[in-house]
Amino acid sequence: MSDWKAKRFWKEAVVVPSTGGFAIELDGRLVKTPAKRPLILPTEVIADAVAAEWQAQEGVIKPQTMPVTKTANAAIDKVSVQHAEVADMLAAYGDADLTCYRAEAPEGLVARQTAQWDPMLDWAEQALNVRLQTRVGVIHQPQDPVELRKLSARTHAFDAFELTAFHDLVSLSGSLILGFAATLEARDPQELWNLSRLDEIWQAEQWGHDDDAEAMAALKMAGFLHACRMFRLCQFN
């Protein structure tokens, strides 16, 4: 039984209107989440993307080739039932944001962090009305609670599908500011990802590349770029 794998049994995956959004039917059978909840998508654009993933399956079903479906399942089965807890967890990143903690040395790394991360903090002041302060070293220094409450309110305002995508944007980058920048399309997604890896890129330039580390970074980058796409899909009605 351990070798059993689900196989395609349907001829056509189609989008159908449903209460609260759109559902997916496989030859008339409604798709459900792993927790057996109805897979109801909030927008037709997301539903079309999910249907396309199911339609593209051949032979054995490969969940790793269905990222939009996976995110939708997470939004329904996990985030929707603990929205406040997830929002609180993500908002907490603002108090120790990646872009705020700066190296003491070497001079080249310090200069690069200033040149690349300061503009993102300036952007946050303009776009989010939040000013986070930088720190030198790795010892935690709390940010202004007033500024953190603003970031928390924005985070809690996301719906379950938006928050699911935002979770990956923030957790993979280590930065609430870069996560918000991705949702507001302040920079190209690839550029934002590179900003989150500024220190790693610097180290690789100095000491050479580590194949295992690069492979892991590639997986995380794919997740970050998918989360950018998923958040944008949420914006189309």
Side-chain angles (χ1 to χ4, degrees), residues 32-188:
K32 293 188 177 182
T33 69
K36 306 304 180 183
R37 294 184 175 92
L39 183 66
I40 305 299
L41 295 316
T43 71
E44 191 169 10
V45 174
I46 295 177
D48 286 340
V50 170
E53 290 181 345
W54 285 88
Q55 191 63 26
Q57 298 302 302
E58 296 181 1
V60 174
I61 299 173
K62 299 178 180 178
Q64 67 271 23
T65 65
M66 308 172 74
V68 181
T69 302
K70 180 180 178 181
T71 301
N73 286 336
I76 295 169
D77 285 348
K78 297 179 181 180
V79 175
S80 67
V81 297
Q82 51 183 352
H83 186 282
E85 293 88 342
V86 174
D88 283 342
M89 177 189 69
L90 296 176
Y93 275 78
D95 198 36
D97 199 90
L98 170 75
T99 59
C100 293
Y101 284 80
R102 308 299 176 83
E104 296 181 40
E107 183 179 338
L109 176 58
V110 173
R112 185 176 298 188
Q113 289 176 339
T114 299
Q116 296 190 20
W117 286 350
D118 277 7
M120 298 311 304
L121 296 179
D122 293 340
W123 168 85
E125 185 171 21
Q126 294 297 317
L128 308 177
N129 190 32
V130 170
R131 185 73 206 188
L132 297 184
Q133 302 301 316
T134 60
R135 287 82 171 83
V136 176
V138 297
I139 297 177
H140 176 253
Q141 298 180 47
Q143 296 283 348
D144 184 342
V146 173
E147 304 299 84
L148 295 179
R149 284 195 291 271
K150 295 177 187 177
L151 292 172
S152 180
R154 283 182 172 271
T155 304
H156 279 264
F158 290 136
D159 65 32
F161 277 75
E162 292 171 332
L163 191 62
T164 303
F166 192 60
H167 172 277
D168 288 353
L169 292 173
V170 174
S171 62
L172 290 171
S173 70
S175 170
L176 194 62
I177 296 302
L178 295 180
F180 276 118
T183 67
L184 295 174
E185 301 183 39
R187 299 280 185 90
D188 178 79

